[in-house]
PDB file of all heavy atoms in Angstrom:
ATOM      1  N   LEU A   1      97.487 116.213  99.497  1.00 98.00           N
ATOM      2  CA  LEU A   1      97.866 114.810  99.319  1.00 98.00           C
ATOM      3  C   LEU A   1      97.304 113.955 100.448  1.00 98.00           C
ATOM      4  O   LEU A   1      97.451 114.311 101.627  1.00 98.00           O
ATOM      5  CB  LEU A   1      99.377 114.643  99.265  1.00 98.00           C
ATOM      6  CG  LEU A   1     100.077 115.279  98.061  1.00 98.00           C
ATOM      7  CD1 LEU A   1     100.759 116.573  98.487  1.00 98.00           C
ATOM      8  CD2 LEU A   1     101.095 114.326  97.444  1.00 98.00           C
ATOM      9  N   LEU A   2      96.677 112.848 100.082  1.00 97.00           N
ATOM     10  CA  LEU A   2      96.133 111.891 101.044  1.00 97.00           C
ATOM     11  C   LEU A   2      96.906 110.590 100.906  1.00 97.00           C
ATOM     12  O   LEU A   2      96.879 109.947  99.853  1.00 97.00           O
ATOM     13  CB  LEU A   2      94.642 111.651 100.766  1.00 97.00           C
ATOM     14  CG  LEU A   2      93.747 112.905 100.684  1.00 97.00           C
ATOM     15  CD1 LEU A   2      92.329 112.508 100.302  1.00 97.00           C
ATOM     16  CD2 LEU A   2      93.758 113.658 102.014  1.00 97.00           C
ATOM     17  N   GLU A   3      97.613 110.206 101.957  1.00 96.00           N
ATOM     18  CA  GLU A   3      98.453 109.006 101.920  1.00 96.00           C
ATOM     19  C   GLU A   3      98.041 108.037 103.024  1.00 96.00           C
ATOM     20  O   GLU A   3      97.930 108.429 104.187  1.00 96.00           O
ATOM     21  CB  GLU A   3      99.923 109.389 102.062  1.00 96.00           C
ATOM     22  CG  GLU A   3     100.885 108.240 102.317  1.00 96.00           C
ATOM     23  CD  GLU A   3     100.835 107.164 101.235  1.00 96.00           C
ATOM     24  OE1 GLU A   3     100.955 107.511 100.041  1.00 96.00           O
ATOM     25  OE2 GLU A   3     100.672 105.983 101.583  1.00 96.00           O
ATOM     26  N   PHE A   4      97.830 106.784 102.653  1.00 95.00           N
ATOM     27  CA  PHE A   4      97.384 105.765 103.606  1.00 95.00           C
ATOM     28  C   PHE A   4      98.485 105.398 104.601  1.00 95.00           C
ATOM     29  O   PHE A   4      98.211 105.107 105.762  1.00 95.00           O
ATOM     30  CB  PHE A   4      96.918 104.521 102.847  1.00 95.00           C
ATOM     31  CG  PHE A   4      96.329 103.456 103.722  1.00 95.00           C
ATOM     32  CD1 PHE A   4      95.050 103.593 104.227  1.00 95.00           C
ATOM     33  CD2 PHE A   4      97.061 102.325 104.050  1.00 95.00           C
ATOM     34  CE1 PHE A   4      94.498 102.609 105.058  1.00 95.00           C
ATOM     35  CE2 PHE A   4      96.533 101.341 104.870  1.00 95.00           C
ATOM     36  CZ  PHE A   4      95.243 101.487 105.371  1.00 95.00           C
ATOM     37  N   ALA A   5      99.747 105.413 104.152  1.00 93.00           N
ATOM     38  CA  ALA A   5     100.858 105.011 105.016  1.00 93.00           C
ATOM     39  C   ALA A   5     101.189 106.096 106.040  1.00 93.00           C
ATOM     40  O   ALA A   5     100.744 107.236 105.950  1.00 93.00           O
ATOM     41  CB  ALA A   5     102.091 104.695 104.170  1.00 93.00           C
ATOM     42  N   LYS A   6     102.018 105.715 107.006  1.00 92.00           N
ATOM     43  CA  LYS A   6     102.401 106.626 108.091  1.00 92.00           C
ATOM     44  C   LYS A   6     103.269 107.764 107.582  1.00 92.00           C
ATOM     45  O   LYS A   6     103.217 108.882 108.109  1.00 92.00           O
ATOM     46  CB  LYS A   6     103.139 105.843 109.181  1.00 92.00           C
ATOM     47  CG  LYS A   6     103.464 106.652 110.417  1.00 92.00           C
ATOM     48  CD  LYS A   6     104.142 105.789 111.473  1.00 92.00           C
ATOM     49  CE  LYS A   6     104.468 106.590 112.725  1.00 92.00           C
ATOM     50  NZ  LYS A   6     105.142 105.758 113.754  1.00 92.00           N
ATOM     51  N   GLU A   7     104.101 107.488 106.570  1.00 92.00           N
ATOM     52  CA  GLU A   7     104.993 108.509 106.011  1.00 92.00           C
ATOM     53  C   GLU A   7     104.791 108.603 104.500  1.00 92.00           C
ATOM     54  O   GLU A   7     104.273 107.677 103.873  1.00 92.00           O
ATOM     55  CB  GLU A   7     106.462 108.159 106.299  1.00 92.00           C
ATOM     56  CG  GLU A   7     106.822 108.051 107.771  1.00 92.00           C
ATOM     57  CD  GLU A   7     106.757 109.365 108.523  1.00 92.00           C
ATOM     58  OE1 GLU A   7     106.728 110.417 107.860  1.00 92.00           O
ATOM     59  OE2 GLU A   7     106.750 109.337 109.762  1.00 92.00           O
ATOM     60  N   ILE A   8     105.222 109.704 103.908  1.00 95.00           N
ATOM     61  CA  ILE A   8     105.268 109.784 102.453  1.00 95.00           C
ATOM     62  C   ILE A   8     106.435 108.921 101.982  1.00 95.00           C
ATOM     63  O   ILE A   8     107.304 108.552 102.775  1.00 95.00           O
ATOM     64  CB  ILE A   8     105.423 111.237 101.961  1.00 95.00           C
ATOM     65  CG1 ILE A   8     106.787 111.830 102.367  1.00 95.00           C
ATOM     66  CG2 ILE A   8     104.293 112.105 102.487  1.00 95.00           C
ATOM     67  CD1 ILE A   8     107.102 113.174 101.733  1.00 95.00           C
ATOM     68  N   LEU A   9     106.474 108.588 100.711  1.00 93.00           N
ATOM     69  CA  LEU A   9     107.527 107.730 100.153  1.00 93.00           C
ATOM     70  C   LEU A   9     107.772 106.525 101.065  1.00 93.00           C
ATOM     71  O   LEU A   9     108.855 106.384 101.648  1.00 93.00           O
ATOM     72  CB  LEU A   9     108.832 108.511  99.970  1.00 93.00           C
ATOM     73  CG  LEU A   9     108.847 109.594  98.911  1.00 93.00           C
ATOM     74  CD1 LEU A   9     110.178 110.336  98.933  1.00 93.00           C
ATOM     75  CD2 LEU A   9     108.590 109.026  97.534  1.00 93.00           C
ATOM     76  N   PRO A  10     106.793 105.649 101.208  1.00 87.00           N
ATOM     77  CA  PRO A  10     106.891 104.538 102.162  1.00 87.00           C
ATOM     78  C   PRO A  10     108.131 103.666 102.025  1.00 87.00           C
ATOM     79  O   PRO A  10     108.593 103.093 103.012  1.00 87.00           O
ATOM     80  CB  PRO A  10     105.620 103.724 101.866  1.00 87.00           C
ATOM     81  CG  PRO A  10     104.659 104.718 101.322  1.00 87.00           C
ATOM     82  CD  PRO A  10     105.493 105.664 100.512  1.00 87.00           C
ATOM     83  N   ASN A  11     108.701 103.543 100.827  1.00 87.00           N
ATOM     84  CA  ASN A  11     109.865 102.671 100.634  1.00 87.00           C
ATOM     85  C   ASN A  11     111.195 103.388 100.832  1.00 87.00           C
ATOM     86  O   ASN A  11     112.248 102.759 100.730  1.00 87.00           O
ATOM     87  CB  ASN A  11     109.822 102.051  99.236  1.00 87.00           C
ATOM     88  CG  ASN A  11     108.632 101.132  99.053  1.00 87.00           C
ATOM     89  OD1 ASN A  11     108.223 100.445  99.986  1.00 87.00           O
ATOM     90  ND2 ASN A  11     108.057 101.125  97.865  1.00 87.00           N
ATOM     91  N   PHE A  12     111.153 104.681 101.115  1.00 92.00           N
ATOM     92  CA  PHE A  12     112.383 105.443 101.312  1.00 92.00           C
ATOM     93  C   PHE A  12     112.778 105.474 102.789  1.00 92.00           C
ATOM     94  O   PHE A  12     111.992 105.128 103.672  1.00 92.00           O
ATOM     95  CB  PHE A  12     112.211 106.875 100.796  1.00 92.00           C
ATOM     96  CG  PHE A  12     112.558 107.056  99.344  1.00 92.00           C
ATOM     97  CD1 PHE A  12     111.872 106.363  98.358  1.00 92.00           C
ATOM     98  CD2 PHE A  12     113.579 107.911  98.962  1.00 92.00           C
ATOM     99  CE1 PHE A  12     112.181 106.531  97.020  1.00 92.00           C
ATOM    100  CE2 PHE A  12     113.900 108.090  97.624  1.00 92.00           C
ATOM    101  CZ  PHE A  12     113.202 107.398  96.655  1.00 92.00           C
ATOM    102  N   ASP A  13     114.001 105.894 103.042  1.00 93.00           N
ATOM    103  CA  ASP A  13     114.495 106.072 104.405  1.00 93.00           C
ATOM    104  C   ASP A  13     113.599 107.067 105.147  1.00 93.00           C
ATOM    105  O   ASP A  13     113.208 108.106 104.592  1.00 93.00           O
ATOM    106  CB  ASP A  13     115.934 106.599 104.350  1.00 93.00           C
ATOM    107  CG  ASP A  13     116.531 106.824 105.723  1.00 93.00           C
ATOM    108  OD1 ASP A  13     117.119 105.895 106.274  1.00 93.00           O
ATOM    109  OD2 ASP A  13     116.379 107.958 106.235  1.00 93.00           O
ATOM    110  N   THR A  14     113.274 106.754 106.381  1.00 92.00           N
ATOM    111  CA  THR A  14     112.336 107.567 107.158  1.00 92.00           C
ATOM    112  C   THR A  14     112.836 109.000 107.352  1.00 92.00           C
ATOM    113  O   THR A  14     112.056 109.959 107.262  1.00 92.00           O
ATOM    114  CB  THR A  14     112.066 106.926 108.524  1.00 92.00           C
ATOM    115  OG1 THR A  14     111.536 105.609 108.322  1.00 92.00           O
ATOM    116  CG2 THR A  14     111.058 107.731 109.318  1.00 92.00           C
ATOM    117  N   ASP A  15     114.121 109.172 107.608  1.00 92.00           N
ATOM    118  CA  ASP A  15     114.672 110.521 107.784  1.00 92.00           C
ATOM    119  C   ASP A  15     114.472 111.359 106.531  1.00 92.00           C
ATOM    120  O   ASP A  15     114.127 112.554 106.598  1.00 92.00           O
ATOM    121  CB  ASP A  15     116.171 110.462 108.105  1.00 92.00           C
ATOM    122  CG  ASP A  15     116.439 110.266 109.585  1.00 92.00           C
ATOM    123  OD1 ASP A  15     115.544 110.571 110.387  1.00 92.00           O
ATOM    124  OD2 ASP A  15     117.543 109.811 109.927  1.00 92.00           O
ATOM    125  N   ILE A  16     114.685 110.746 105.382  1.00 94.00           N
ATOM    126  CA  ILE A  16     114.541 111.458 104.115  1.00 94.00           C
ATOM    127  C   ILE A  16     113.082 111.835 103.883  1.00 94.00           C
ATOM    128  O   ILE A  16     112.760 112.984 103.546  1.00 94.00           O
ATOM    129  CB  ILE A  16     115.068 110.603 102.946  1.00 94.00           C
ATOM    130  CG1 ILE A  16     116.560 110.314 103.116  1.00 94.00           C
ATOM    131  CG2 ILE A  16     114.786 111.293 101.613  1.00 94.00           C
ATOM    132  CD1 ILE A  16     117.446 111.533 103.169  1.00 94.00           C
ATOM    133  N   SER A  17     112.176 110.880 104.058  1.00 94.00           N
ATOM    134  CA  SER A  17     110.760 111.155 103.797  1.00 94.00           C
ATOM    135  C   SER A  17     110.219 112.218 104.748  1.00 94.00           C
ATOM    136  O   SER A  17     109.458 113.100 104.343  1.00 94.00           O
ATOM    137  CB  SER A  17     109.934 109.865 103.897  1.00 94.00           C
ATOM    138  OG  SER A  17     110.030 109.279 105.179  1.00 94.00           O
ATOM    139  N   LYS A  18     110.627 112.180 106.015  1.00 93.00           N
ATOM    140  CA  LYS A  18     110.154 113.181 106.978  1.00 93.00           C
ATOM    141  C   LYS A  18     110.641 114.578 106.613  1.00 93.00           C
ATOM    142  O   LYS A  18     109.877 115.548 106.629  1.00 93.00           O
ATOM    143  CB  LYS A  18     110.626 112.815 108.386  1.00 93.00           C
ATOM    144  CG  LYS A  18     109.844 111.669 109.029  1.00 93.00           C
ATOM    145  CD  LYS A  18     110.344 111.387 110.436  1.00 93.00           C
ATOM    146  CE  LYS A  18     109.521 110.288 111.101  1.00 93.00           C
ATOM    147  NZ  LYS A  18     110.022 109.975 112.466  1.00 93.00           N
ATOM    148  N   ARG A  19     111.919 114.698 106.285  1.00 93.00           N
ATOM    149  CA  ARG A  19     112.470 116.021 105.978  1.00 93.00           C
ATOM    150  C   ARG A  19     111.966 116.551 104.642  1.00 93.00           C
ATOM    151  O   ARG A  19     111.735 117.749 104.493  1.00 93.00           O
ATOM    152  CB  ARG A  19     114.003 115.968 105.984  1.00 93.00           C
ATOM    153  CG  ARG A  19     114.561 115.598 107.352  1.00 93.00           C
ATOM    154  CD  ARG A  19     115.917 116.198 107.565  1.00 93.00           C
ATOM    155  NE  ARG A  19     116.482 115.767 108.834  1.00 93.00           N
ATOM    156  CZ  ARG A  19     117.466 116.393 109.460  1.00 93.00           C
ATOM    157  NH1 ARG A  19     117.959 117.505 108.932  1.00 93.00           N
ATOM    158  NH2 ARG A  19     117.937 115.943 110.602  1.00 93.00           N
ATOM    159  N   LEU A  20     111.796 115.648 103.688  1.00 93.00           N
ATOM    160  CA  LEU A  20     111.243 116.077 102.406  1.00 93.00           C
ATOM    161  C   LEU A  20     109.824 116.580 102.594  1.00 93.00           C
ATOM    162  O   LEU A  20     109.423 117.595 102.003  1.00 93.00           O
ATOM    163  CB  LEU A  20     111.281 114.925 101.404  1.00 93.00           C
ATOM    164  CG  LEU A  20     110.754 115.236 100.002  1.00 93.00           C
ATOM    165  CD1 LEU A  20     111.562 116.364  99.350  1.00 93.00           C
ATOM    166  CD2 LEU A  20     110.789 113.993  99.120  1.00 93.00           C
ATOM    167  N   LYS A  21     109.067 115.900 103.424  1.00 95.00           N
ATOM    168  CA  LYS A  21     107.696 116.333 103.709  1.00 95.00           C
ATOM    169  C   LYS A  21     107.690 117.733 104.329  1.00 95.00           C
ATOM    170  O   LYS A  21     106.863 118.585 103.958  1.00 95.00           O
ATOM    171  CB  LYS A  21     107.019 115.334 104.644  1.00 95.00           C
ATOM    172  CG  LYS A  21     105.584 115.692 105.003  1.00 95.00           C
ATOM    173  CD  LYS A  21     105.002 114.655 105.958  1.00 95.00           C
ATOM    174  CE  LYS A  21     103.605 115.035 106.415  1.00 95.00           C
ATOM    175  NZ  LYS A  21     103.051 114.043 107.374  1.00 95.00           N
ATOM    176  N   GLN A  22     108.603 117.988 105.257  1.00 94.00           N
ATOM    177  CA  GLN A  22     108.677 119.308 105.884  1.00 94.00           C
ATOM    178  C   GLN A  22     108.989 120.392 104.848  1.00 94.00           C
ATOM    179  O   GLN A  22     108.363 121.458 104.836  1.00 94.00           O
ATOM    180  CB  GLN A  22     109.768 119.305 106.965  1.00 94.00           C
ATOM    181  CG  GLN A  22     109.424 118.471 108.186  1.00 94.00           C
ATOM    182  CD  GLN A  22     110.608 118.351 109.145  1.00 94.00           C
ATOM    183  OE1 GLN A  22     111.705 118.856 108.870  1.00 94.00           O
ATOM    184  NE2 GLN A  22     110.401 117.669 110.264  1.00 94.00           N
ATOM    185  N   THR A  23     109.933 120.107 103.964  1.00 94.00           N
ATOM    186  CA  THR A  23     110.324 121.084 102.953  1.00 94.00           C
ATOM    187  C   THR A  23     109.193 121.333 101.958  1.00 94.00           C
ATOM    188  O   THR A  23     108.911 122.475 101.589  1.00 94.00           O
ATOM    189  CB  THR A  23     111.585 120.605 102.211  1.00 94.00           C
ATOM    190  OG1 THR A  23     112.642 120.430 103.153  1.00 94.00           O
ATOM    191  CG2 THR A  23     112.022 121.624 101.167  1.00 94.00           C
ATOM    192  N   LEU A  24     108.522 120.264 101.529  1.00 95.00           N
ATOM    193  CA  LEU A  24     107.416 120.419 100.590  1.00 95.00           C
ATOM    194  C   LEU A  24     106.236 121.129 101.243  1.00 95.00           C
ATOM    195  O   LEU A  24     105.513 121.891 100.590  1.00 95.00           O
ATOM    196  CB  LEU A  24     106.987 119.050 100.053  1.00 95.00           C
ATOM    197  CG  LEU A  24     108.011 118.337  99.157  1.00 95.00           C
ATOM    198  CD1 LEU A  24     107.514 116.947  98.788  1.00 95.00           C
ATOM    199  CD2 LEU A  24     108.293 119.145  97.893  1.00 95.00           C
ATOM    200  N   SER A  25     106.052 120.904 102.529  1.00 96.00           N
ATOM    201  CA  SER A  25     104.975 121.595 103.251  1.00 96.00           C
ATOM    202  C   SER A  25     105.217 123.101 103.269  1.00 96.00           C
ATOM    203  O   SER A  25     104.280 123.896 103.166  1.00 96.00           O
ATOM    204  CB  SER A  25     104.858 121.061 104.678  1.00 96.00           C
ATOM    205  OG  SER A  25     104.465 119.703 104.687  1.00 96.00           O
ATOM    206  N   LYS A  26     106.485 123.488 103.392  1.00 94.00           N
ATOM    207  CA  LYS A  26     106.825 124.910 103.371  1.00 94.00           C
ATOM    208  C   LYS A  26     106.494 125.544 102.021  1.00 94.00           C
ATOM    209  O   LYS A  26     106.241 126.746 101.930  1.00 94.00           O
ATOM    210  CB  LYS A  26     108.321 125.110 103.666  1.00 94.00           C
ATOM    211  CG  LYS A  26     108.722 124.789 105.094  1.00 94.00           C
ATOM    212  CD  LYS A  26     110.224 124.942 105.273  1.00 94.00           C
ATOM    213  CE  LYS A  26     110.670 124.522 106.653  1.00 94.00           C
ATOM    214  NZ  LYS A  26     112.149 124.585 106.792  1.00 94.00           N
ATOM    215  N   ARG A  27     106.486 124.716 100.981  1.00 94.00           N
ATOM    216  CA  ARG A  27     106.131 125.216  99.646  1.00 94.00           C
ATOM    217  C   ARG A  27     104.618 125.316  99.463  1.00 94.00           C
ATOM    218  O   ARG A  27     104.152 125.770  98.416  1.00 94.00           O
ATOM    219  CB  ARG A  27     106.703 124.293  98.570  1.00 94.00           C
ATOM    220  CG  ARG A  27     108.224 124.349  98.417  1.00 94.00           C
ATOM    221  CD  ARG A  27     108.677 123.516  97.230  1.00 94.00           C
ATOM    222  NE  ARG A  27     107.969 123.916  96.012  1.00 94.00           N
ATOM    223  CZ  ARG A  27     107.788 123.117  94.963  1.00 94.00           C
ATOM    224  NH1 ARG A  27     108.239 121.883  94.974  1.00 94.00           N
ATOM    225  NH2 ARG A  27     107.136 123.557  93.895  1.00 94.00           N
ATOM    226  N   GLY A  28     103.866 124.871 100.478  1.00 95.00           N
ATOM    227  CA  GLY A  28     102.418 125.015 100.406  1.00 95.00           C
ATOM    228  C   GLY A  28     101.659 123.740 100.134  1.00 95.00           C
ATOM    229  O   GLY A  28     100.424 123.763 100.036  1.00 95.00           O
ATOM    230  N   LEU A  29     102.335 122.598 100.037  1.00 97.00           N
ATOM    231  CA  LEU A  29     101.638 121.326  99.864  1.00 97.00           C
ATOM    232  C   LEU A  29     101.047 120.898 101.196  1.00 97.00           C
ATOM    233  O   LEU A  29     101.702 121.015 102.244  1.00 97.00           O
ATOM    234  CB  LEU A  29     102.583 120.245  99.343  1.00 97.00           C
ATOM    235  CG  LEU A  29     102.825 120.201  97.835  1.00 97.00           C
ATOM    236  CD1 LEU A  29     103.601 121.419  97.365  1.00 97.00           C
ATOM    237  CD2 LEU A  29     103.584 118.938  97.449  1.00 97.00           C
ATOM    238  N   GLU A  30      99.815 120.398 101.167  1.00 97.00           N
ATOM    239  CA  GLU A  30      99.144 119.969 102.392  1.00 97.00           C
ATOM    240  C   GLU A  30      99.074 118.443 102.418  1.00 97.00           C
ATOM    241  O   GLU A  30      98.560 117.826 101.490  1.00 97.00           O
ATOM    242  CB  GLU A  30      97.743 120.561 102.477  1.00 97.00           C
ATOM    243  CG  GLU A  30      97.076 120.333 103.823  1.00 97.00           C
ATOM    244  CD  GLU A  30      95.760 121.072 103.970  1.00 97.00           C
ATOM    245  OE1 GLU A  30      95.158 121.435 102.935  1.00 97.00           O
ATOM    246  OE2 GLU A  30      95.337 121.302 105.120  1.00 97.00           O
ATOM    247  N   PHE A  31      99.617 117.841 103.486  1.00 97.00           N
ATOM    248  CA  PHE A  31      99.684 116.385 103.608  1.00 97.00           C
ATOM    249  C   PHE A  31      98.759 115.871 104.697  1.00 97.00           C
ATOM    250  O   PHE A  31      98.654 116.473 105.778  1.00 97.00           O
ATOM    251  CB  PHE A  31     101.115 115.944 103.955  1.00 97.00           C
ATOM    252  CG  PHE A  31     102.118 116.158 102.861  1.00 97.00           C
ATOM    253  CD1 PHE A  31     102.837 117.345 102.787  1.00 97.00           C
ATOM    254  CD2 PHE A  31     102.358 115.182 101.917  1.00 97.00           C
ATOM    255  CE1 PHE A  31     103.774 117.550 101.793  1.00 97.00           C
ATOM    256  CE2 PHE A  31     103.298 115.369 100.919  1.00 97.00           C
ATOM    257  CZ  PHE A  31     104.014 116.560 100.852  1.00 97.00           C
ATOM    258  N   PHE A  32      98.120 114.732 104.421  1.00 97.00           N
ATOM    259  CA  PHE A  32      97.375 113.997 105.432  1.00 97.00           C
ATOM    260  C   PHE A  32      97.809 112.539 105.342  1.00 97.00           C
ATOM    261  O   PHE A  32      97.448 111.824 104.404  1.00 97.00           O
ATOM    262  CB  PHE A  32      95.860 114.116 105.208  1.00 97.00           C
ATOM    263  CG  PHE A  32      95.325 115.503 105.422  1.00 97.00           C
ATOM    264  CD1 PHE A  32      95.239 116.389 104.357  1.00 97.00           C
ATOM    265  CD2 PHE A  32      94.941 115.924 106.689  1.00 97.00           C
ATOM    266  CE1 PHE A  32      94.764 117.680 104.546  1.00 97.00           C
ATOM    267  CE2 PHE A  32      94.465 117.219 106.889  1.00 97.00           C
ATOM    268  CZ  PHE A  32      94.371 118.096 105.818  1.00 97.00           C
ATOM    269  N   ASN A  33      98.656 112.125 106.297  1.00 96.00           N
ATOM    270  CA  ASN A  33      99.109 110.733 106.337  1.00 96.00           C
ATOM    271  C   ASN A  33      98.151 109.880 107.153  1.00 96.00           C
ATOM    272  O   ASN A  33      97.408 110.389 107.990  1.00 96.00           O
ATOM    273  CB  ASN A  33     100.518 110.645 106.907  1.00 96.00           C
ATOM    274  CG  ASN A  33     101.568 111.081 105.902  1.00 96.00           C
ATOM    275  OD1 ASN A  33     101.860 112.269 105.766  1.00 96.00           O
ATOM    276  ND2 ASN A  33     102.120 110.120 105.176  1.00 96.00           N
ATOM    277  N   GLN A  34      98.198 108.586 106.902  1.00 95.00           N
ATOM    278  CA  GLN A  34      97.272 107.629 107.527  1.00 95.00           C
ATOM    279  C   GLN A  34      95.824 108.043 107.252  1.00 95.00           C
ATOM    280  O   GLN A  34      94.958 107.963 108.117  1.00 95.00           O
ATOM    281  CB  GLN A  34      97.549 107.506 109.026  1.00 95.00           C
ATOM    282  CG  GLN A  34      98.933 106.911 109.317  1.00 95.00           C
ATOM    283  CD  GLN A  34      99.230 106.793 110.791  1.00 95.00           C
ATOM    284  OE1 GLN A  34      99.376 107.802 111.489  1.00 95.00           O
ATOM    285  NE2 GLN A  34      99.323 105.557 111.281  1.00 95.00           N
ATOM    286  N   ALA A  35      95.623 108.478 106.009  1.00 96.00           N
ATOM    287  CA  ALA A  35      94.295 108.891 105.566  1.00 96.00           C
ATOM    288  C   ALA A  35      93.766 107.841 104.596  1.00 96.00           C
ATOM    289  O   ALA A  35      94.435 107.505 103.616  1.00 96.00           O
ATOM    290  CB  ALA A  35      94.357 110.256 104.878  1.00 96.00           C
ATOM    291  N   ALA A  36      92.596 107.315 104.863  1.00 95.00           N
ATOM    292  CA  ALA A  36      91.986 106.281 104.027  1.00 95.00           C
ATOM    293  C   ALA A  36      90.825 106.877 103.241  1.00 95.00           C
ATOM    294  O   ALA A  36      89.814 107.290 103.826  1.00 95.00           O
ATOM    295  CB  ALA A  36      91.506 105.120 104.883  1.00 95.00           C
ATOM    296  N   VAL A  37      90.986 106.947 101.920  1.00 96.00           N
ATOM    297  CA  VAL A  37      89.926 107.492 101.072  1.00 96.00           C
ATOM    298  C   VAL A  37      88.781 106.484 100.978  1.00 96.00           C
ATOM    299  O   VAL A  37      88.998 105.307 100.698  1.00 96.00           O
ATOM    300  CB  VAL A  37      90.462 107.820  99.665  1.00 96.00           C
ATOM    301  CG1 VAL A  37      89.336 108.314  98.757  1.00 96.00           C
ATOM    302  CG2 VAL A  37      91.555 108.878  99.767  1.00 96.00           C
ATOM    303  N   THR A  38      87.560 106.947 101.213  1.00 96.00           N
ATOM    304  CA  THR A  38      86.395 106.054 101.224  1.00 96.00           C
ATOM    305  C   THR A  38      85.480 106.237 100.021  1.00 96.00           C
ATOM    306  O   THR A  38      84.830 105.293  99.580  1.00 96.00           O
ATOM    307  CB  THR A  38      85.577 106.270 102.507  1.00 96.00           C
ATOM    308  OG1 THR A  38      85.230 107.673 102.616  1.00 96.00           O
ATOM    309  CG2 THR A  38      86.385 105.860 103.732  1.00 96.00           C
TER     310      THR A  38
END
C-alpha cells in the first residue's frame, strides 16, 4: 500500500490508525506512508 498522507485512514483517530496499521502489518501487508506515486 502506498499512501500520500502521514497515517493510514487519514480521517480516523490517530491512535486507531496507528494500531490498525501495526496489526495489518503483522498479517503481511506492507505500508509506505508519505509516498507520492509519480
Side-chain angles (χ1 to χ4, degrees):
L1 294 103
L2 307 176
E3 168 57 52
F4 185 76
K6 186 178 180 181
E7 300 293 344
I8 66 171
L9 292 176
N11 296 325
F12 271 61
D13 180 89
T14 302
D15 275 339
I16 298 300
S17 60
K18 284 181 177 178
R19 297 209 184 199
L20 181 60
K21 180 181 176 182
Q22 290 173 357
T23 301
L24 293 175
S25 295
K26 291 177 185 176
R27 289 186 54 204
L29 277 68
E30 189 173 21
F31 292 91
F32 293 91
N33 284 85
Q34 295 180 293
V37 177
T38 55

